[in-house]
């Protein structure tokens, strides 16, 4: 059973930065991975995705130029560097993984999920 554990969330002022990590039990080299977020009263939404070797990434328009997804397969870890944070980025952030070589952006494409980490951006 693959387990994912997010860390790095917290409270930050608008314009600040946070770096989220997603540690995975087991080798991740065959997994597509992604970050999603869910704000109160809203559906879980796609944020960023990365293919198996990190060579291809994809972002939702609202975070392009501010967020960077990356992965270190040797450490079985994925990251989300978040800069220039805005209050509307406030949400619980989840990492996800699926055995797939490419990019996956749909929630129902992923079988494995972390428990989530809270990100709160104050204005």
């Amino acid at each position: 059973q693959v387990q994912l554990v997010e860390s790095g969330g917290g409270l930050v002022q608008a314009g600040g930065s946070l770096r989220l990590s997603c540690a995975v039990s087991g080798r991740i080299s065959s997994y597509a991975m992604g970050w999603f977020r869910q704000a109160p009263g809203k559906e879980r939404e796609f944020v960023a995705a990365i293919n198996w070797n990190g060579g291809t990434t994809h972002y939702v328009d609202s975070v392009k130029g501010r967020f960077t997804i990356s992965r270190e397969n040797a450490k079985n870890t994925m990251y989300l560097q978040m800069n220039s944070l805005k209050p509307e980025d406030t949400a619980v952030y989840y990492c996800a993984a699926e055995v797939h070589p490419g990019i996956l952006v749909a929630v129902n494409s992923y079988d494995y999920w972390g428990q989530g980490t809270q990100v709160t951006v104050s204005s």
Side-chain angles (χ1 to χ4, degrees):
Q1 181 73 14
V2 176
Q3 293 185 327
L4 290 73
V5 179
E6 302 96 337
S7 62
L11 173 63
V12 64
Q13 289 188 332
S17 298
L18 284 174
R19 189 194 197 201
L20 305 183
S21 298
C22 174
V24 183
S25 63
R27 296 179 62 185
I28 65 170
S29 56
S30 60
Y31 287 82
M33 299 192 71
W35 288 98
F36 292 76
R37 65 187 179 187
Q38 188 166 17
K42 295 188 177 181
E43 293 187 351
R44 191 169 299 189
E45 66 171 358
F46 168 76
V47 176
I50 191 166
N51 76 326
W52 72 277
N53 67 356
T56 303
T57 58
H58 184 68
Y59 300 89
V60 67
D61 285 348
S62 60
V63 308
K64 284 180 180 177
R66 300 189 298 122
F67 291 10
T68 302
I69 188 172
S70 62
R71 63 192 293 164
E72 288 188 76
N73 287 353
K75 295 184 177 180
N76 297 320
T77 304
M78 177 180 65
Y79 306 97
L80 185 68
Q81 177 68 44
M82 304 186 295
N83 299 328
S84 301
L85 282 161
K86 304 176 180 180
E88 52 264 44
D89 294 318
T90 295
V92 177
Y93 282 70
Y94 298 89
C95 65
E98 181 59 43
V99 177
H100 191 281
I103 291 287
L104 299 174
V105 302
V107 171
N108 59 12
S109 295
Y110 290 90
D111 283 334
Y112 304 106
W113 292 86
Q115 81 290 349
T117 185
Q118 177 70 47
V119 171
T120 303
V121 184
S122 63
S123 57

